Amino acid sequence: MAKVKKQPRPKAQTPKGFRDYFGAEVAQRTEMLTKIAGVYHRYGFDALETSAVETVEALGKFLPDVDRPNEGVFAWEEDNDWLALRYDLTAPLARVAAQYRNDLPSPYRRYAMGPVWRNEKPGPGRFRQFYQCDADTVGASSVAADAEICAMLSDTLEVVGIPRGDYVVRVNNRKVLNGVLEVAGLAGDDKEAERGIVLRAIDKLDRLGVDGVRALLGEGRKDASGDFTKGAGLSDEQAEIVVGFMQAKRADGAATVARLRELVAGSQVGADGVAELETMAELLSAGGYQSDRIEIDPSVVRGLGYYTGPVFEAELTFEVLDEKGRPRNFGSVAGGGRYDDLVKRFTGQEVPATGVSIGVDRLLAALHAKGRLDKTMDGPVVVTVMDRDRMADYQGMVAELRNAGIRAEVYLGNPKNFGNQLKYADKRNSPAAVIAGGDEFDAGMVQIKDLILGAEIAKNATLEEWKDRPSQYEVPRDQLVAKLREILDGQG
Amino acid sequence: MAKVKKQPRPKAQTPKGFRDYFGAEVAQRTEMLTKIAGVYHRYGFDALETSAVETVEALGKFLPDVDRPNEGVFAWEEDNDWLALRYDLTAPLARVAAQYRNDLPSPYRRYAMGPVWRNEKPGPGRFRQFYQCDADTVGASSVAADAEICAMLSDTLEVVGIPRGDYVVRVNNRKVLNGVLEVAGLAGDDKEAERGIVLRAIDKLDRLGVDGVRALLGEGRKDASGDFTKGAGLSDEQAEIVVGFMQAKRADGAATVARLRELVAGSQVGADGVAELETMAELLSAGGYQSDRIEIDPSVVRGLGYYTGPVFEAELTFEVLDEKGRPRNFGSVAGGGRYDDLVKRFTGQEVPATGVSIGVDRLLAALHAKGRLDKTMDGPVVVTVMDRDRMADYQGMVAELRNAGIRAEVYLGNPKNFGNQLKYADKRNSPAAVIAGGDEFDAGMVQIKDLILGAEIAKNATLEEWKDRPSQYEVPRDQLVAKLREILDGQG
């Protein structure tokens, strides 16, 4: 007989750069998104959910990040049209703002949360699909809109579990920077390349320190590995003006504003920027947002080229240990600013817009690092199966538990090996197992095994303090719910 | 001067077959998914979120629907690998169950909710991206797992707002059908085509009635348009056996089971199926699920070929009006069953599985049709801007309202035209507008315009009953929150 050649089996693997999220990971993110949506909603923002797929034409072909202009999207041809997965939530907003411009309220406040896709080389902790969580106001030119976004960002951080004092929203204004550059003799179209280098140099202050930035403003900088990065070629005098700007932060907002006003003296755009910062500070103060939550910080510039006015960044101010156990600042978890050519490429009309994007995964990581995510045993109570013929009785028990709001399930594997059932309960992180065989049914009783207590006993070598508390006991069947609730309430 | 040729502007349009969801549409779906996840969680199911992108190899190239075996997925080549958007949530579950088989608990109960993509011709109400909401148990061969899914489906429908009596979960078993086909002389590999036709014919009972199905079981059927569908070619005697099966439903589960047992007499697989149905009925009854919620109904077969045991379907039993105003049954909103070769294509090992998929969009449509979705004015309170220089005061007001949990915003457009501000509030579905200019500030007062009342007055021609209730009045500034809460609580 001829052998039929078998197809090789497919590999059970996620594509490179993609990952799966299980149980608590999903639940914690969902919970965080729900909390964030609650704040956004309270601020009058409306939800918008666009599809994952857009035409390449509507999306624009390139990511907005100037450092990687050619990094791409996942795209394919379909019916003579090129389609692609969205790479952020701003490009679809631009399309929506243009498509529905006659129907949407103006200003249009919208929030959006969902995955975006980047066709980039994956790396450790760097995935090709990740969540974004944005809020933008389209059609409002007033900096009141920017102030509102900053206030909302501050509220959001507190609502998701970052207490006041553990974060700061830092605000700056691109017009101030432009004014400073004008004063330094770097205005004009022929200086665009230099301005770009200055922008990115300031953005690296955290990492390189003042001397590193100064080097990048001048001839350039050689890093520890010997690689040389070409600088902006500024004279010492010019560089000093920029460094003065970076270090213009004073003890309070008023003093910082005064210092900035000195620095941009003679530049109209600079004066406009300082006035905008001042207005934002006033509005925020009136809303109860003082400098312990939102402060003016001239060192914030945001690397992206497209911002045109206020820029802001939320930073967590506590230290965490990195992979090697060294303390480091947790750093930025959100950022945004004003950008004014959102809809223009579709309609030709300039529409002002401002918005923020929160890095949900970073924020979750921060809460994990601070031990602020719920770690109670959230597994279900497992009703074990001693007697296969009594499955209806076991189902009755779990139904009763579920109706009482207790997460519960009956063991559905092969019940032959009882040890496997307890191992299963362990793997599920169960707080308790319920055990009932013929004897218990005859006596109208059930056994409860307290697995939280069991885990405590296993952790603590000295059994002394536990010995009076049995981790397994019998209760009358009709006290099953009450007893389990006692165990569940006692945990944590 | 030579004219620079301009790039044509991109079209601001969703790709064909895709759509955007706004405001309440997103919020209502999110709320429904949260409720469903709550029930699934209580039943011990754990969340799983896989990425939208899978390798074509892992996904399998084709949709499971036998009627459209060549209908496709959205796929593209990437680094010599073909990637595709998932077309359902079951194929990724199969990949996960194989990939993590040594780490996952067994049985593995998981739920998943999210968009899936189908590269099909779009039509009215038929989109290429839509939500699925699945729960499956992998690794449990006992029908206790199927019974649990049915109970969970019943609970879920009630939790999302379909009261008992407005739905029924109908249960059948493919083995019973196979037994009936065996009795009718349709067993054996050479009869597979006939069995497929029979399966799909029974599935059309609702639409075609008994005579229509009988025609499809025999020579075939000509529809109203004159199109002929070839039948299974059964003899009258054979067809009668199948029709008898379809109509085997009796007044209660026990009588139906007894009737089915008669029909499959002599077939082992048929007897097994009847025994499974009986066991499920027992387990469900023990959990409190009687035939007003879950009933045995032999006419449920589910069109898909891959089910191997219990099959079930949730149907809404009330009538709604269709587009032409005719009453019709709302019909099916969820379905599922047992399928046993989930993981086999990856590992060679047979792993039993059972699960359900809820049509979230259908369910939302049903709640809309019954007027059961919240229709209160959920827009924000709009604080209007009479005096541009007092923006900080207005921001202070909205901050106070938000802190009191009231959805509120300050008008951020150009405040020059006050009428535009009220039109905006109207477009936002605002319950109230707050108005304060120089006079009010001097007197420590604010004006409140009750837009709910305004809308009522506009709706009702006779102003008599309203004339004592002014829709705009002045209150002291420090009573702003209290007064607005009164208005918001009063709406219904």
Side-chain angles (χ1 to χ4, degrees), chain B residues 15-206:
Chain B
K16 223 187 318 166
F18 292 89
R19 57 162 292 195
D20 302 303
Y21 295 83
F22 292 91
E25 291 175 316
V26 180
Q28 284 162 355
R29 185 172 54 208
T30 303
E31 198 189 338
M32 178 176 281
L33 292 177
T34 304
K35 284 178 183 169
I36 296 175
V39 179
Y40 287 0
H41 182 263
R42 190 144 44 85
Y43 268 78
F45 285 68
D46 274 346
L48 169 67
E49 186 172 327
T50 60
S51 64
V53 180
E54 298 273 350
T55 64
V56 164
E57 182 191 358
L59 214 49
K61 269 179 201 162
F62 304 117
L63 293 179
D65 192 325
V66 290
D67 281 348
R68 295 187 301 270
N70 285 310
E71 290 289 11
V73 293
F74 291 107
W76 64 93
E77 200 172 3
E78 204 72 63
D79 306 333
N80 303 318
D81 231 356
W82 276 87
L83 303 181
L85 293 178
R86 65 184 179 204
Y87 58 79
D88 70 4
L89 299 173
T90 309
L93 171 62
R95 195 259 306 149
V96 165
Q99 184 170 350
Y100 306 92
R101 62 188 175 283
N102 297 324
D103 305 311
L104 290 172
S106 176
Y108 176 46
R109 288 173 173 92
R110 88 87 180 79
Y111 70 85
M113 20 190 71
V116 301
W117 294 264
R118 302 268 170 104
N119 193 356
E120 297 174 337
K121 215 180 148 81
R126 186 185 178 85
F127 296 99
R128 296 166 116 181
Q129 171 176 332
F130 55 92
Y131 267 76
Q132 287 197 337
C133 180
D134 288 17
D136 294 81
T137 301
V138 179
S141 56
S142 151
V143 293
D146 304 275
E148 178 177 82
I149 298 264
C150 291
M152 185 164 75
L153 178 54
S154 168
D155 281 9
T156 300
L157 292 173
E158 294 182 17
V159 164
V160 302
I162 310 288
R164 211 167 291 183
D166 269 1
Y167 74 90
V168 63
V169 177
R170 304 186 299 154
V171 182
N172 193 11
N173 193 303
R174 275 290 174 82
K175 291 180 184 169
V176 179
L177 174 60
N178 291 340
V180 167
L181 295 174
E182 194 180 330
V183 169
L186 289 164
D189 289 346
D190 59 326
K191 298 281 184 359
E192 203 179 318
E194 284 88 341
R195 288 199 299 270
I197 297 176
V198 169
L199 193 66
R200 290 193 291 279
I202 301 176
D203 207 28
K204 288 175 184 153
L205 177 61
D206 265 9

Side-chain angles (χ1 to χ4, degrees), chain A residues 20-21 23 41-47 49 78 95 100 103 109 119 131 402 407 409-410 428, chain B residues 20-21 23 41-47 49 78 95 100 109 119 131 148 402 407 409-410 427-428:
Chain A
D20 302 303
Y21 295 84
H41 182 263
R42 190 144 45 83
Y43 269 78
F45 285 68
D46 274 346
E49 187 171 326
E78 204 73 63
R95 196 257 307 147
Y100 306 93
D103 305 312
R109 287 174 174 91
N119 192 356
Y131 267 77
R402 287 164 182 162
R407 190 179 194 208
E409 52 171 63
V410 68
R428 293 304 313 279
Chain B
D20 302 303
Y21 295 83
H41 182 263
R42 190 144 44 85
Y43 268 78
F45 285 68
D46 274 346
E49 186 172 327
E78 204 72 63
R95 195 259 306 149
Y100 306 92
R109 288 173 173 92
N119 193 356
Y131 267 76
E148 178 177 82
R402 288 166 182 160
R407 190 179 191 207
E409 52 171 62
V410 68
K427 199 159 203 172
R428 293 305 312 278

Side-chain angles (χ1 to χ4, degrees), chain A residues 143 171-173 176 256-257 260 272-282 296-298 310-311:
Chain A
V143 292
V171 182
N172 194 11
N173 193 303
V176 179
T256 305
V257 164
L260 289 173
D272 290 351
V274 174
E276 287 186 8
L277 271 181
E278 218 169 3
T279 305
M280 279 182 72
E282 261 171 48
I296 297 175
D297 185 338
V311 286

